Amino acid sequence: VKPPPFSYHRARDGAHAVDLLSGLGPRARILAGGQSLLPMLHLRLAAPAHLVDIGRAADLGGIRLDGGRLVVGAAVTQAAVERSAEVRAVPLLAEAIAHVAHPPIRHRGTVVGSLAHASAVAELPCVAVALGAEFTLLATAAAPGELVAEVRFPVAGGRRGEAWSEFSVRRGNFPVAGAAAVVRLEGGTVTEAAVALCGVGDRPLRAPAAEDVLQGRTPTPELIAAAAEAAVAALAPRADGDTAAHILPVAAAPTPAWTYRARVARAQVRRALTRAVHRAEEQA
Ligand SMILES: Cc1cc2nc3c(=O)[nH]c(=O)nc-3n(C[C@H](O)[C@H](O)[C@H](O)COP(=O)(O)OP(=O)(O)OC[C@H]3O[C@@H](n4cnc5c(N)ncnc54)[C@H](O)[C@@H]3O)c2cc1C
């Protein structure tokens, strides 16, 4: 299937991209790796008149550690982040990114593109929610036209453990459900906990009920099971019985029933928390 017609514009740098977006108007769209946008064009889910390609924008291609943050520019591919030495400073991102699609897609798809696309079942938006990632925007005051220039993930430190767990029907598929967990321990008790879920809502969701169960307590297997239960109990299915949104039409990717999805999510929270606690305990 061919995409609808569009004109193609290559941005030299971030400022040029914003100028192009402003000048071309509301029917212009940013093209990063194209791994979500091009399928949407082929499926006629989007029909932009102009694509502004930021893949070779000179100032958007960096990965660096800066003031306790891992900073990833908008043109950086998922594969480049996965292979970088810097990503080890954010273990949750390092673990989750290997589950995103397959290597050829990660070689084109960008981290920021995945966050901007914000699929409810994708790994990286869920990681960003769990870690409280920050975005740097580039915009002009003159006209609409805005791009995410970079994303900043907080770097792990101290007795903190992070873990990702997901279940997908096949490795590389979008998960049925996935969970991100971050746990900080002081003297054997939890002083900081973050739990986020994908696949169970119309966006990645923090699970404050699970975090409250853990806070200030010793993370025994029973407590972790109670936290996982609380995470899922707080979610309500939509009237049509399923809360998850997909980039693919439902007919092409039938969604499992809510009860099954919730059960899968609960298991992923338990696994992610168990590993995060174990990793926190291993820190000196
Ligand atoms: C077969 C297949 C399987 C996949 N499996 C998975 C999976 O298991 N898990 C997963 O997470 N993803 C999966 N993906 C999606 C993949 O990770 C995409 O690479 C990613 O979602 C989008 O990144 P991109 O760089 O390709 O963005 P694009 O497709 O180029 O853009 C996506 C959207 O974000 C906007 N955008 C891009 N960059 C910016 C920016 N800097 N500022 C503002 N807006 C921007 C675009 O305008 C567009 O609307 C899969 C894709 C395919 C084709």
Side-chain angles (χ1 to χ4, degrees):
V1 184
K2 289 184 180 166
F6 58 82
S7 62
Y8 172 87
H9 310 260
R10 179 176 291 166
R12 289 187 302 275
D13 53 32
H16 185 213
V18 172
D19 282 348
L20 285 168
L21 289 168
S22 303
L24 294 167
R27 290 203 59 212
R29 196 95 170 241
I30 295 168
L31 175 69
Q35 298 303 295
S36 294
L37 185 54
L38 294 184
M40 285 169 66
L41 263 57
H42 292 301
L43 292 165
R44 299 295 195 269
L45 297 174
H50 309 278
L51 291 186
V52 175
D53 185 354
I54 59 167
R56 297 191 200 172
D59 55 345
L60 302 180
I63 308 174
R64 66 184 194 281
L65 291 169
D66 180 11
R69 298 280 185 275
L70 171 68
V71 186
V72 179
V76 180
T77 63
Q78 295 153 3
V81 171
E82 184 182 4
R83 286 197 312 258
S84 71
E86 290 87 348
V87 78
R88 289 189 219 132
V90 187
L92 176 56
L93 178 63
E95 188 171 17
I97 206 163
H99 289 271
V100 174
H102 303 283
I105 291 161
R106 298 202 292 275
H107 273 89
R108 288 195 170 271
T110 62
V111 168
V112 169
S114 173
L115 298 175
H117 188 62
S119 165
V121 284
E123 288 86 355
L124 302 185
C126 189
V127 166
V129 165
L131 292 176
E134 298 154 1
F135 298 91
T136 307
L137 296 178
L138 272 182
T140 56
E146 191 172 77
L147 75 89
V148 181
E150 59 187 24
V151 56
R152 307 166 76 87
F153 296 95
V155 161
R159 296 203 76 192
R160 193 169 116 142
E162 304 180 358
W164 174 260
S165 182
E166 71 173 59
F167 173 74
S168 56
V169 175
R170 273 187 306 233
R171 174 88 192 194
N173 280 21
F174 281 101
V176 173
V182 179
V183 174
R184 186 183 297 280
L185 294 176
E186 310 267 344
T189 57
V190 176
T191 56
E192 181 191 331
V195 176
L197 291 157
C198 70
V200 289
D202 61 356
R203 70 201 72 187
L205 299 170
R206 270 294 275 266
E211 297 165 7
D212 289 348
V213 168
L214 296 162
Q215 192 67 33
R217 298 204 174 86
T218 304
T220 59
E222 293 73 25
L223 190 78
I224 288 172
E229 191 64 49
V232 172
L235 303 167
R238 281 189 328 225
D240 61 7
D242 198 325
T243 61
H246 287 266
I247 56 162
L248 296 172
V250 169
T255 59
W258 161 252
T259 43
Y260 169 66
R261 198 180 280 275
R263 206 176 308 145
V264 171
R266 187 175 53 205
Q268 305 320 307
V269 174
R270 192 166 43 72
R271 283 179 200 165
L273 277 171
T274 302
R275 283 217 303 277
V277 166
H278 186 62
R279 288 172 185 170
E281 287 169 346
E282 281 179 337
Q283 301 303 316

